[in-house]
Amino acid sequence: MGTQYVIDLADVDERQAAAVGGKGAHLGGLARIGGVRVPAGFCVTTDAYRRIVAEDPSLDDLLDRLARMGPDDQEGIRTVSAEIRRVIEGIAVPDDLAETVTRALARTGEGAAYAVRSSATAEDQPTASFAGQQDTYLNIVGAAEILRHITRCWASVFTERAVVYRRRNGVDHRTVHMAVVVQHMVFPDAAGILFTADPVTGDRRTATVDAGFGLGEALVSGLVNPDVFTVRDGGVVDRTIAAKERAIYALPDGGTEEVTVDARRQKEPALTDDQVVELVGIGRRIEAHFGRPQDIEWCLADGGFRIVQSRPITTLFPVPERGRDDASGDGQEHRVYVSVGHQQMMTDAMKPLGYSMWQRTAMADMYEAGGRLFVDVTPRLASPDTRAALLDVIGKSDPLTRDALETVIDRATPSATPSVTPPTPAPATPSTKPTTPPPPTPIETDPAIVTELIARSEASVAALERDIRTKTGPALFDFLAEAFVEHKRVLGDPLSFQALMAGMDATWWLNDKLREWLGETNAADTLTLSAPGNITSEMGLALLDVADAVRPYPEVVAYLRGVQDEGFLGSDELAALEGGVEARDAIEAYLDRYGVRCVGEIDITRPRWRERPTALIPVILDNVRNFGPGTAALRFEEGRRKAAEKERDVLARLRALPDGDSKADETKRMIDRVRTFIGYREYPKYGIIQRYFVYKQALLGEAERLVRAGVLAQKEDIFHLTFQELHDVVRTHRLEAGLVERRKEDFRWHEELTPPRVLTSDGEALTGAYRRDDVPEGALTGLAVSAGTVEGRARVILDIADADLEAGDILVTTFTDPSWSPLFVAVAGLVTEVGGLMTHGAVIAREYGLPAVVGVEKATRLIRDGQRIRVHGASGYVEILS
């Protein structure tokens, strides 16, 4: 097809975004929907833009300068962007191009007024709307003026806001091309915005309409407050009528003017309820056509609605998809989902291989949305018995999730219970999180039980490592299907579950009873210090031992400060240094034991420490700087001594009470029980991650074969395929064109989303709230998980590789999985956005004696790095002191 500078809007559809930009493609699609009226017009294509920018070679140099600028160079970005705009606006439109536009105007009405609207190829995408980043000009009359404003639209590719937005979204300036939509101007009585889903709550059943008099620019620019209508199930359920003192109208000879609305009309609604419902009906047709909720610009003129723009609402969290053959219903009933990430301390977006592997190896059915996993708890909320048990378990793990679920339950009425009551409850699925297991049968307080469980797990992992070595191609996937069965068998071992619950139940018993008998708050925090056999706390202490091997050798310390190559452990340069071999051997031994771990380790696609050992270097260097030799053993012994002293103190005080000997004996049994079993709390996760590392190495071997065969560009591309898709590619050696790139784009979008704790099938996202009145004004509320009060410098760290800690610092981060425990030895307190009483960070904080508050909403944004804060670990709040 040859160069085409103009396409009539009636000939455009949404597949032509490369030629007519996102806005033009959407308008063409809109015009094809029955019952949707779109003003007539045409598109000046991206071919015209490319021709214009090729006219001036200086633009190449300016774009190079823009690409080289740092993200914080605002003045430079402003200056170069303005220069690019000046160059583009100064380029004369070639005669043949001008003539093509003039002919199009003659066909559509040469003397009419038009809206001249930017339509970039990067805007109105499902994952990034780019709304308002380029320019629109209204009521433009005459061919010369329209051509001038088309040039201004071309230049608006490089408005400062557009340039900054693209940088933030990872879009190359050179890949964005500008089309221009030229449409008949609508002179509306009213105009505004329709959201086909609630943009705040995400509820897909609720639509909102903003409306004002005259052109919609008055609302967009913030000149007036709009009338706001809320529509649900075909009726207006709420309305707020604003005093609309100003409006913008088109002038007869072109341009617009701001006018004062007649005082008698200011409080009149811009639309009747019937018009609002009609408009939402149009919006639902548009939403159905595009397959996702829409942000729609509309006008009311001559008694009818015109749609002048529709774009996806990109800020909504997606709703989990489920098939019609799902055992828990027909896929259409209203459902309630709980976030797996908030239970597993991993709320980051996962790549497709990551979430699909977790789905296949988890003990409960899980549904993906926004790169996160969710469990459907609808059946358990439907029954009062299972509901109470579910809320109890989840409340202990994360009170905010419990509160969000209670919000859903409290809102349900006898006439509106489908959101928590399916027609046919699903059969229960065994699970450890976040479903509700049956109460465990008590087991003896015997350390040999833990020893046996660990031996079983290690034997299973060793068998996996041995048997997988010879498996390749389709045979590997047949083997993995069997390996996943064994994975679940180990994870679901009844004895393992009994041991887990024995430690947690003993912790809760001690806290409850010692509060009742002695007025002690969180007494178990001290009684569990340095509990034996905790793989995660041992991992943190073991890195102190690595620091001991490095500290005596200044040349090695200096070398590690400059390390960037992941192969540094095998380098001759390290081995040649005094102490280099000792340091290498210490780090290698650590990686042999713990190298399967990493931040976000439930996502198999994340690089493990064995794959990226440089991630540990900052922590090792912090330990070298902040501690002396033998600190690991001293810290463990100090914790053991404090726990023993606390035990003696508690038992002595109990014996002084009425029936004191009985209370003391029972407490002693529980102390022994918690110290026997609480350390095992961390082992099953370690066993899972050991197996994940074996799976990953085998799958990467297949990826390397696919790269050699030319099927994949690079081995990491498999991370953007689901497990089943990867299986199919290995079997057929065929990969759908463009699939990996689309998945990478989706992942970038998912990374920008904040996952809710609770999500309904209507799309409503609930985060829950703490309902407390005992927190000082201005303090940040959370969950008390490890007693004590500490004051210090906040270190807001989002990546363990960025650690730079001093003694006395307080770690503030989003979540902590086991991989963060090496940092715990170097800090004085902990604050996280996600977490519960028995999650990994809380358990390790108690074992190390760190005051900790978890579940503090937006902690990493509300607390600035370097601020002085005070953590109240027993009361569950954080004060910002400076």
Side-chain angles (χ1 to χ4, degrees):
M1 183 176 175
T3 301
Q4 190 172 13
Y5 292 134
V6 169
I7 304 176
D8 193 280
L9 204 52
D11 298 327
V12 169
D13 64 34
E14 49 265 61
R15 294 172 297 179
Q16 294 169 272
V20 299
K23 186 182 284 107
H26 271 73
L27 286 168
L30 284 167
R32 295 165 182 263
I33 304 171
V36 177
R37 300 168 68 185
V38 175
F42 59 87
C43 295
V44 181
T45 69
T46 53
D47 283 339
Y49 171 80
R50 277 189 285 266
R51 179 173 172 185
I52 287 296
V53 296
E55 294 278 328
D56 194 321
S58 70
L59 284 171
D60 269 339
D61 293 335
L62 289 168
L63 285 171
D64 286 342
R65 285 175 56 193
L66 196 60
R68 289 194 300 269
M69 286 181 177
D72 298 326
D73 188 1
Q74 295 180 343
E75 185 58 38
I77 291 170
R78 183 179 301 116
T79 301
V80 175
S81 299
E83 180 60 24
I84 293 173
R85 293 197 302 275
R86 280 194 295 273
V87 170
I88 293 174
E89 289 188 34
I91 297 171
V93 178
D95 291 344
D96 62 323
L97 177 50
E99 185 180 343
T100 303
V101 172
T102 303
R103 283 200 304 270
L105 285 169
R107 290 193 301 272
T108 53
E110 193 167 2
Y114 288 87
V116 181
R117 314 175 68 197
S118 301
S119 180
T121 53
E123 69 182 13
D124 294 352
Q125 298 174 356
T127 59
S129 74
F130 288 77
Q133 302 308 312
Q134 285 88 31
D135 292 339
T136 288
Y137 303 97
L138 301 178
N139 202 26
I140 309 302
V141 179
E145 279 299 292
I146 287 169
L147 281 167
R148 186 169 73 86
H149 285 85
I150 288 172
T151 299
R152 294 180 69 185
C153 284
W154 288 331
S156 73
V157 172
F158 294 97
T159 62
E160 184 183 350
R161 63 183 181 275
V163 168
V164 171
Y165 192 91
R166 284 196 296 270
R167 290 173 74 102
R168 191 165 69 242
N169 284 274
V171 177
D172 184 347
H173 304 302
R174 293 178 188 273
T175 65
V176 178
H177 302 118
M178 178 66 79
V180 181
V181 177
V182 181
Q183 271 181 296
H184 271 289
M185 184 68 192
V186 178
F187 300 97
D189 301 313
I193 308 292
L194 159 64
F195 292 99
T196 64
D198 189 313
V200 177
T201 68
D203 189 345
R204 268 60 163 185
R205 291 176 64 193
T206 299
T208 62
V209 175
D210 291 3
F213 295 129
L215 293 166
E217 303 309 296
L219 306 187
V220 174
S221 65
L223 181 65
V224 296
N225 291 323
D227 296 341
V228 180
F229 301 87
T230 303
V231 178
R232 187 175 176 89
D233 299 330
V236 175
V237 295
D238 192 23
R239 68 184 63 74
T240 302
I241 307 304
K244 300 170 289 295
E245 298 176 356
R246 311 288 290 170
I248 295 176
Y249 288 98
L251 292 167
D253 297 326
T256 61
E257 69 172 345
E258 181 186 317
V259 301
T260 301
V261 177
D262 185 285
R264 290 168 295 182
R265 291 192 65 211
Q266 288 179 4
K267 292 204 173 180
E268 288 182 10
L271 297 177
T272 66
D273 281 8
D274 287 345
Q275 287 173 324
V276 169
V277 172
E278 177 190 354
L279 175 61
V280 170
I282 295 170
R284 292 295 180 212
R285 289 197 289 277
I286 295 170
E287 179 183 66
H289 175 83
F290 289 118
R292 64 183 67 230
Q294 297 287 301
D295 166 358
I296 298 166
E297 295 182 22
W298 57 268
C299 298
L300 178 67
D302 303 323
F305 287 105
R306 311 291 197 278
I307 304 301
V308 296
Q309 187 160 331
S310 184
R311 62 172 69 93
I313 308 174
T314 59
T315 56
L316 299 179
F317 199 87
V319 176
E321 293 185 13
R322 53 198 305 155
R324 286 187 168 273
D325 59 349
D326 195 293
S328 57
D330 64 3
Q332 303 304 308
E333 297 298 327
H334 300 307
R335 320 298 297 182
V336 181
Y337 300 93
V338 166
S339 163
V340 172
H342 286 83
Q343 308 294 313
Q344 286 290 341
M345 300 303 99
M346 165 50 184
T347 55
D348 290 350
M350 300 169 74
K351 296 186 178 77
L353 186 62
Y355 63 69
S356 63
M357 285 288 286
W358 195 258
Q359 285 173 309
R360 285 176 178 266
T361 54
M363 300 296 286
D365 291 334
M366 294 181 180
Y367 303 90
E368 182 272 336
R372 279 79 169 185
L373 291 171
F374 294 84
V375 169
D376 182 359
V377 296
T378 317
R380 289 169 179 81
L381 291 181
S383 162
D385 294 336
T386 56
R387 181 189 307 159
L390 174 71
L391 292 175
D392 181 57
V393 169
I394 282 183
K396 287 175 177 174
S397 173
D398 183 4
L400 291 177
T401 299
R402 174 175 179 143
D403 183 80
L405 286 174
E406 287 175 334
T407 300
V408 174
I409 295 165
D410 291 345
R411 271 199 322 231
T413 63
S415 62
T417 54
S419 40
V420 295
T421 310
T424 307
T429 306
S431 170
T432 55
K433 287 182 180 180
T435 53
T436 309
T441 304
I443 56 175
E444 293 299 315
T445 303
D446 182 359
I449 293 173
V450 173
T451 303
E452 178 188 348
L453 286 168
I454 291 173
R456 287 184 194 178
S457 178
E458 289 180 344
S460 178
V461 172
L464 173 66
E465 290 174 330
R466 180 190 67 236
D467 296 341
I468 204 170
R469 286 175 190 149
T470 58
K471 306 298 190 293
T472 60
L476 170 64
F477 288 84
D478 293 339
F479 173 82
L480 286 173
E482 297 174 8
F484 294 164
V485 173
E486 169 66 3
H487 182 120
K488 290 186 177 182
R489 187 196 67 76
V490 174
L491 191 59
D493 185 337
L495 184 63
S496 176
F497 184 65
Q498 288 175 310
L500 285 172
M501 291 308 300
M504 290 192 285
D505 285 341
T507 300
W508 294 326
W509 188 95
L510 286 167
N511 280 335
D512 290 345
K513 290 298 184 181
L514 295 181
R515 183 185 302 112
E516 176 188 343
W517 293 337
L518 298 177
E520 285 268 357
T521 303
N522 299 321
D525 292 1
T526 305
L527 293 167
T528 54
L529 288 172
S530 297
N534 187 314
I535 187 74
T536 304
S537 63
E538 289 171 357
M539 182 170 71
L541 296 174
L543 209 58
L544 285 170
D545 291 335
V546 173
D548 286 353
V550 170
R551 189 181 296 103
Y553 306 107
E555 288 183 345
V556 173
V557 172
Y559 171 80
L560 291 178
R561 286 197 187 105
V563 160
Q564 293 181 328
D565 180 8
E566 298 299 343
F568 73 94
L569 288 169
S571 73
D572 293 338
E573 186 179 357
L574 175 59
L577 298 175
E578 182 186 1
V581 172
E582 291 84 349
R584 181 198 65 200
D585 291 348
I587 296 172
E588 285 283 6
Y590 187 87
L591 292 173
D592 287 344
R593 177 70 165 150
Y594 306 109
V596 298
R597 313 214 82 150
C598 67
V599 174
E601 62 191 8
I602 70 168
D603 183 351
I604 198 171
T605 72
R606 293 285 190 103
R608 312 286 128 173
W609 289 340
R610 172 52 80 183
E611 298 168 306
R612 188 177 291 174
T614 57
L616 292 172
I617 298 303
V619 190
I620 294 171
L621 293 175
D622 282 349
N623 288 347
V624 167
R625 184 175 67 248
N626 293 330
F627 301 103
T631 298
L634 291 172
R635 291 280 290 270
F636 188 82
E637 179 56 29
E638 181 185 8
R640 193 200 61 74
R641 179 182 54 76
K642 286 182 177 178
E645 287 176 357
K646 185 68 173 180
E647 177 181 332
R648 288 192 293 272
D649 172 66
V650 164
L651 295 179
R653 289 161 61 198
L654 285 173
R655 289 195 175 94
L657 299 176
D659 196 23
D661 287 343
S662 173
K663 290 183 173 71
D665 290 345
E666 195 172 3
T667 299
K668 171 60 176 168
R669 284 195 298 273
M670 284 299 175
I671 292 173
D672 291 345
R673 196 165 179 79
V674 79
R675 293 193 67 80
T676 297
F677 291 115
I678 200 63
Y680 181 70
R681 167 72 181 79
E682 295 293 299
Y683 197 87
K685 179 80 168 282
Y686 175 66
I688 293 171
I689 302 309
Q690 282 182 299
R691 301 180 73 88
Y692 263 36
F693 189 69
V694 179
Y695 303 152
K696 182 178 186 179
Q697 297 311 302
L699 293 175
L700 284 174
E702 289 304 307
E704 289 170 352
R705 284 184 275 276
L706 290 170
V707 171
R708 288 197 296 270
V711 179
L712 295 180
Q714 53 188 7
K715 65 180 182 180
E716 290 79 10
D717 284 351
I718 67 166
F719 298 159
H720 296 280
L721 304 176
T722 66
F723 182 81
Q724 184 59 53
E725 288 167 344
L726 177 56
H727 185 182
D728 293 341
V729 171
V730 168
R731 182 172 48 82
T732 65
H733 270 216
R734 288 198 298 271
L735 175 64
E736 179 187 335
L739 176 61
V740 169
E741 289 308 312
R742 291 198 303 275
R743 291 286 175 74
K744 288 179 179 179
E745 183 179 310
D746 286 343
F747 181 68
R748 284 193 291 269
W749 170 43
H750 294 159
E751 285 184 300
E752 297 296 318
L753 297 172
T754 300
R757 283 174 161 81
V758 172
L759 183 65
T760 73
S761 54
D762 291 335
E764 186 175 8
L766 299 99
T767 58
Y770 293 106
R771 306 188 187 279
R772 294 172 53 184
D773 55 11
D774 60 341
V775 175
E777 186 177 352
L780 307 180
T781 306
L783 178 65
V785 296
S786 184
T789 300
V790 66
E791 183 179 316
R793 180 181 68 157
R795 289 308 323 274
V796 180
I797 298 175
L798 304 180
D799 185 337
I800 192 173
D802 296 331
D804 181 15
L805 297 165
E806 301 287 348
D809 284 348
I810 297 170
L811 174 62
V812 180
T813 191
T814 313
F815 58 81
T816 59
D817 59 12
S819 69
W820 286 81
S821 66
L823 291 190
F824 285 21
V825 299
V827 297
L830 173 69
V831 179
T832 69
E833 294 181 350
V834 179
L837 190 63
M838 296 307 297
T839 50
H840 305 281
V843 171
I844 306 306
R846 287 194 291 273
E847 290 216 9
Y848 284 173
L850 297 178
V853 179
V854 302
V856 180
E857 279 286 281
K858 301 179 181 177
T860 59
R861 282 169 278 178
L862 296 174
I863 300 172
R864 295 194 309 275
D865 187 58
Q867 278 188 311
R868 196 156 189 84
I869 63 174
R870 184 181 296 129
V871 177
H872 295 263
S875 303
Y877 64 88
V878 181
E879 291 180 283
I880 299 176
L881 305 178
S882 64

